[in-house]
């Protein structure tokens, strides 16, 4: 996040212990691959690495944390949904527009264009060529931002 943009919403500090709120922007997880096709598309596990989830859980335990995940592909957000004060999925929104939502200046809007699975195990048990066949997604395709105000 651009510190100059964040400074328009509050004082930017260096340590989470000194903050009233942390805002974290993440990329949906993927595994870097080198085949000619996969180099241009994110692929692999949809789960965040355990070390990353531990780091984020520690941050969320230290200060209320808004987590935004850039969803260029589905992601398993189950490990983030419990600890985050706010969890959003976005598709390239600018910092100031995200912060307008975080600080309540604007309402979150949007419709989820795919299921967000509850686990990678559930993804692996589903059929690759059948849409929406995971039995217990964390969020179902068509979920609206207003469903969780």
């Amino acid at each position: 996040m651009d510190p100059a943009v964040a400074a328009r919403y509050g004082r930017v500090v260096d340590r989470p212990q000194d903050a009233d709120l942390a805002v974290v922007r993440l990329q949906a997880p993927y595994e870097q691959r080198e085949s000619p096709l996969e180099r241009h598309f994110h692929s692999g596990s949809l789960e965040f690495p355990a070390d990353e989830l531990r780091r984020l859980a520690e941050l969320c335990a230290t200060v209320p944390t808004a987590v935004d995940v850039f969803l260029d592909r589905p992601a398993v957000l189950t490990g983030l949904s419990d600890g985050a004060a706010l969890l959003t999925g976005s598709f390239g929104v600018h910092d100031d527009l995200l912060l307008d939502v975080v600080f309540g200046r604007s309402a979150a809007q949007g419709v989820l264009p795919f299921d967000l699975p509850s686990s990678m195990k559930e993804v692996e048990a589903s059929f690759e060529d059948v849409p929406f066949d995971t039995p217990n997604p964390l969020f179902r395709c068509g979920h609206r931002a207003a469903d969780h105000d």
Side-chain angles (χ1 to χ4, degrees):
M1 177 159 295
D2 182 346
V5 173
R8 295 197 305 254
Y9 293 82
R11 187 171 54 92
V12 176
V13 297
D14 294 328
R15 299 175 341 131
Q17 299 85 341
D18 299 331
D20 294 325
L21 172 73
V23 180
V24 176
R25 301 201 75 182
L26 304 171
Q27 169 77 42
Y30 68 94
E31 297 166 6
Q32 188 67 45
R33 300 197 176 161
E34 294 304 319
S35 75
L37 180 61
E38 288 181 314
R39 240 181 301 175
H40 301 288
F41 299 97
H42 291 165
S43 57
S45 178
L46 302 177
E47 290 182 316
F48 286 94
D51 290 348
E52 179 76 356
L53 289 176
R54 270 192 297 282
R55 183 184 72 79
L56 291 166
E58 289 173 9
L59 179 63
C60 290
T62 302
V63 62
T65 304
V67 178
D68 176 65
V69 181
F70 176 66
L71 295 172
D72 66 330
R73 63 192 297 239
V76 174
L77 303 180
T78 307
L80 301 173
S81 63
D82 292 335
L86 175 69
L87 177 62
T88 60
S90 64
F91 301 91
V93 65
H94 292 277
D95 292 342
D96 56 339
L97 298 177
L98 174 65
L99 290 173
D100 279 351
V101 169
V102 169
F103 285 95
R105 294 179 184 176
S106 298
Q109 297 181 25
V111 178
L112 191 62
F114 42 66
D115 283 353
L116 292 181
S118 58
S119 71
M120 195 61 199
K121 184 176 182 178
E122 197 167 273
V123 171
E124 291 165 346
S126 66
F127 294 103
E128 292 180 8
D129 58 347
V130 177
F132 316 118
D133 71 326
T134 54
N136 300 303
L138 183 63
F139 295 104
R140 180 73 66 197
C141 176
H143 178 87
R144 295 183 178 279
D147 293 344
H148 279 285
D149 284 343

